[in-house]
Amino acid sequence: MIKRLVVVAAAASLGAAFREEAPTLRTPAPGPAVRSQADGIHKIKHVVIIMQENRSFDSYFGTYPGADGIPMKNGVPTVCVPDPRRHRCVKPFHNRQDVNFGGPHDMTDALADIDSGKMDGFIRQQRHGLAVACKKSYDPNCSLAGAQRVPDVMGYHDGRDIPNYWAYARNFVLQDHMYAAAISWSLPVHLYLVSAWSAKCARPGEPMSCKTAPQWPDLPPDATALVQGHAGDYGQQRPGGYVRPPDYAWTDLTYLLHKQHVSWAYYVAAGTQADCATNAMFCRPKPQQAGTPGIWNPLPYFATVHHDDQLRNIQPLPAFYAAARAGTLPAVCWVVPNGNTSEHPPALVGAGQAYVTALINALMRGPEWASTAIFLSWDDWGGFYDHVVPPRVDQSGYGLRVPALVISPYARKGYVDHQTLSFDAYLKFIEDAFLGGQRLDPKTDGRPDARPDVREAAPLLGDLQNDFDFSQPPRGPLLLSTSPPTDMLGLSVPHLGRPKAAPKQHQG
């Protein structure tokens, strides 16, 4: 069956996410300061982690002033990556296309892209990924990606293309050394995002039987079905075709939150989930809802969530908007997109930016803005070029650099944070703000597991508190339009006609 073109905008699915959003917004003058009696980090009563998909730091902020971006001289990149097909070296280039394709992005690809520190495997892996994904395939993405004159893994966007993301960087904090928590793909990274570990457990319900698995933790059943013929490699196939659901027996952050009576929620945008467990660049989207565990929604498979009767905390996205509007946000929440709003190639970059802007506007309009910290990032590099070699913290990571922003009334204005960070820093901040510094440490957290290290305590991990100035009065909101002027182009497809550029808006 031929899948529909992904370049068609998913207006219907976006509508629900944006219904809290006015069609045109302007940045208001800061309102009167709302002072808190709490000290320092404890002025933050709500942490919201917004996790998007598959972009490298250089692909979004490689030309941002003051950041550790693409090496250039007189505005011309001084680095290039070999293209094995055309036998030439390709420099990073400004890519104005709203649809990007990226490359394969599991642990094997990360190591190949890094290439022992030479950072020169990106085009080779994209070429290989297309050849594998598109063999005997009629997926229209294959012909579109294959028709590129220059591999788009070397392309980057700037403030003219993604003006809202750059506006957040100019007004709040941009982190230019945020690394994915695992040198791998979405599922291991999302496991780290909630538990500081990705593992595979030999025996159900036994945390001490779990071993580090940066590439293949137990897969959701629908993902395993995509790799039939290799399921035995993961130990999940059962007679009669039955696939055992994952059993994530180790301790996750929600266990500590529940234990200390700290509220939390995990908000899931209904629609599809686009990541491929096969590491193919393109695959058939799988249904996604709050009640559908999956690659981007792993918490329902954690034993602690079941034991603590916390499944109800995994909620559909409209509940986020309702809580933001009513001032009933939990202390800690994660927000994950659907395939159309995720920016996971080949989803539209503009659709993802619009979705994220709607989320942030809802928080800024709500009564709890003055006590909120928003951490916005992208889960892995998606095969796109980045020039920085990731540091090594353990056998799982870190992965390649990803874009990351801190948005808060207490965030430093226009600050570029050069600390070495990973998503473990989000957990560390939450633990410091709400748990008295308790870590996911099997020696002290009351629930031993076999994790080899305490990620939040890694010596090279920076501290997100440095991105805040708690001595300042909380700043007012920065409300942005979900449809800002942009230089972004639609993809040129015969039956869609020639793309036209939107009005220009230069952002530096």
Side-chain angles (χ1 to χ4, degrees):
M1 177 180 179
I2 301 177
K3 294 187 289 184
R4 61 181 176 82
L5 285 173
V6 296
V7 299
V8 178
S13 63
L14 293 177
F18 299 159
R19 64 169 169 261
E20 303 298 328
E21 184 70 5
T24 56
L25 297 171
R26 297 292 182 266
T27 304
V34 180
R35 296 187 178 274
S36 170
Q37 297 302 312
D39 293 324
I41 192 175
H42 299 296
K43 291 183 177 181
I44 300 300
K45 306 298 183 185
H46 308 279
V47 171
V48 180
I49 300 171
I50 300 174
M51 188 55 57
Q52 293 294 100
E53 294 287 320
N54 292 45
R55 302 286 162 169
S56 71
F57 182 87
D58 279 346
S59 72
Y60 270 12
F61 291 99
T63 59
Y64 188 85
D68 182 3
I70 300 166
M72 291 193 180
K73 184 176 182 179
N74 299 324
V76 178
T78 58
V79 290
C80 63
V81 169
D83 183 344
R85 177 178 297 177
R86 297 180 179 267
H87 305 289
R88 62 189 182 98
C89 208
V90 179
K91 293 183 177 182
F93 65 93
H94 181 206
N95 183 1
R96 296 169 60 195
Q97 297 292 345
D98 201 2
V99 174
N100 309 142
F101 296 99
H105 45 277
D106 72 2
M107 189 173 187
T108 302
D109 300 300
L111 294 173
D113 285 353
I114 295 167
D115 194 13
S116 301
K118 290 182 283 188
M119 307 304 289
D120 66 357
F122 299 88
I123 298 176
R124 179 175 62 249
Q125 292 309 108
Q126 186 189 45
R127 298 286 195 201
H128 176 71
L130 284 171
V132 172
C134 300
K135 186 178 182 180
K136 298 181 180 179
S137 172
Y138 295 98
D139 190 324
N141 292 309
C142 293
S143 60
L144 294 172
Q148 298 176 115
R149 294 190 342 182
V150 181
D152 74 358
V153 290
M154 299 305 296
Y156 62 82
H157 297 292
D158 63 18
R160 296 165 292 181
D161 311 325
I162 47 175
N164 287 7
Y165 289 150
W166 279 50
Y168 292 136
R170 288 196 309 274
N171 286 276
F172 299 102
V173 176
L174 174 68
Q175 298 161 327
D176 68 355
H177 286 85
M178 173 65 77
Y179 300 90
I183 187 168
S184 195
W185 61 295
S186 286
L187 177 58
V189 172
H190 280 259
L191 291 172
Y192 269 97
L193 185 63
V194 295
S195 73
W197 199 23
S198 172
K200 184 175 178 63
C201 303
R203 295 180 296 278
E206 296 188 24
M208 296 306 294
S209 75
C210 306
K211 303 296 182 184
T212 301
Q215 173 74 319
W216 296 123
D218 279 338
L219 299 172
D222 60 352
T224 306
L226 295 173
V227 291
Q228 57 180 330
H230 301 281
D233 295 343
Y234 315 129
Q236 291 185 265
Q237 194 66 47
R238 291 290 184 269
Y242 172 73
V243 178
R244 171 175 56 83
D247 175 51
Y248 301 146
W250 65 94
T251 308
D252 70 282
L253 185 64
T254 71
Y255 169 79
L256 294 180
L257 295 174
H258 178 74
K259 186 178 179 180
Q260 297 201 29
H261 309 289
V262 178
S263 58
W264 66 271
Y266 194 95
Y267 297 105
V268 180
T272 60
Q273 179 277 119
D275 223 331
C276 308
T278 56
N279 189 35
M281 287 177 60
F282 310 120
C283 59
R284 182 174 299 172
K286 309 299 292 185
Q288 173 180 279
Q289 297 182 40
T292 309
I295 289 169
W296 299 347
N297 180 24
L299 274 177
Y301 290 129
F302 273 89
T304 55
V305 175
H306 288 267
H307 294 164
D308 293 337
D309 193 26
Q310 297 290 287
L311 279 173
R312 64 184 180 277
N313 291 10
I314 302 163
Q315 301 178 15
L317 187 61
F320 164 83
Y321 285 106
R325 181 175 59 248
T328 57
L329 283 170
V332 178
C333 57
W334 296 263
V335 186
V336 295
N338 61 33
N340 290 325
T341 58
S342 65
E343 295 163 72
H344 185 296
L348 300 175
V349 173
Q353 181 182 244
Y355 155 81
V356 169
T357 302
L359 296 176
I360 294 173
N361 283 347
L363 292 165
M364 289 182 170
R365 283 202 194 96
E368 294 169 327
W369 161 244
S371 59
T372 296
I374 303 168
F375 300 142
L376 168 62
S377 192
W378 285 253
D379 70 344
D380 65 57
W381 85 113
F384 291 101
Y385 175 74
D386 195 84
H387 78 282
V388 174
V389 181
R392 176 77 178 266
V393 64
D394 56 23
Q395 70 185 87
S396 292
Y398 298 138
L400 281 84
R401 284 196 312 170
V402 293
L405 295 151
V406 175
I407 302 167
S408 172
Y410 293 105
R412 299 179 185 274
K413 184 173 182 178
Y415 179 62
V416 180
D417 182 355
H418 302 303
Q419 295 182 98
T420 296
L421 298 167
S422 83
F423 301 153
D424 306 320
Y426 296 161
L427 304 189
K428 178 180 178 180
F429 186 93
I430 291 167
E431 291 160 357
D432 289 343
F434 303 115
L435 301 175
Q438 171 69 63
R439 304 294 182 221
L440 282 166
D441 183 344
K443 295 180 180 178
T444 62
D445 62 20
R447 194 176 184 277
D449 58 34
R451 69 184 64 215
D453 54 4
V454 180
R455 270 296 193 88
E456 308 96 299
L460 77 168
L461 182 67
D463 190 338
L464 293 182
Q465 294 191 57
N466 293 339
D467 293 341
F468 296 83
D469 179 1
F470 291 114
S471 67
Q472 70 184 19
R475 290 190 282 134
L478 177 72
L479 298 174
L480 302 176
S481 170
T482 56
S483 301
T486 175
D487 269 7
M488 200 80 80
L489 299 176
L491 195 63
S492 181
V493 184
H495 73 275
L496 295 179
R498 295 179 61 82
K500 295 181 180 180
K504 294 183 178 180
Q505 176 174 315
H506 292 271
Q507 298 287 336

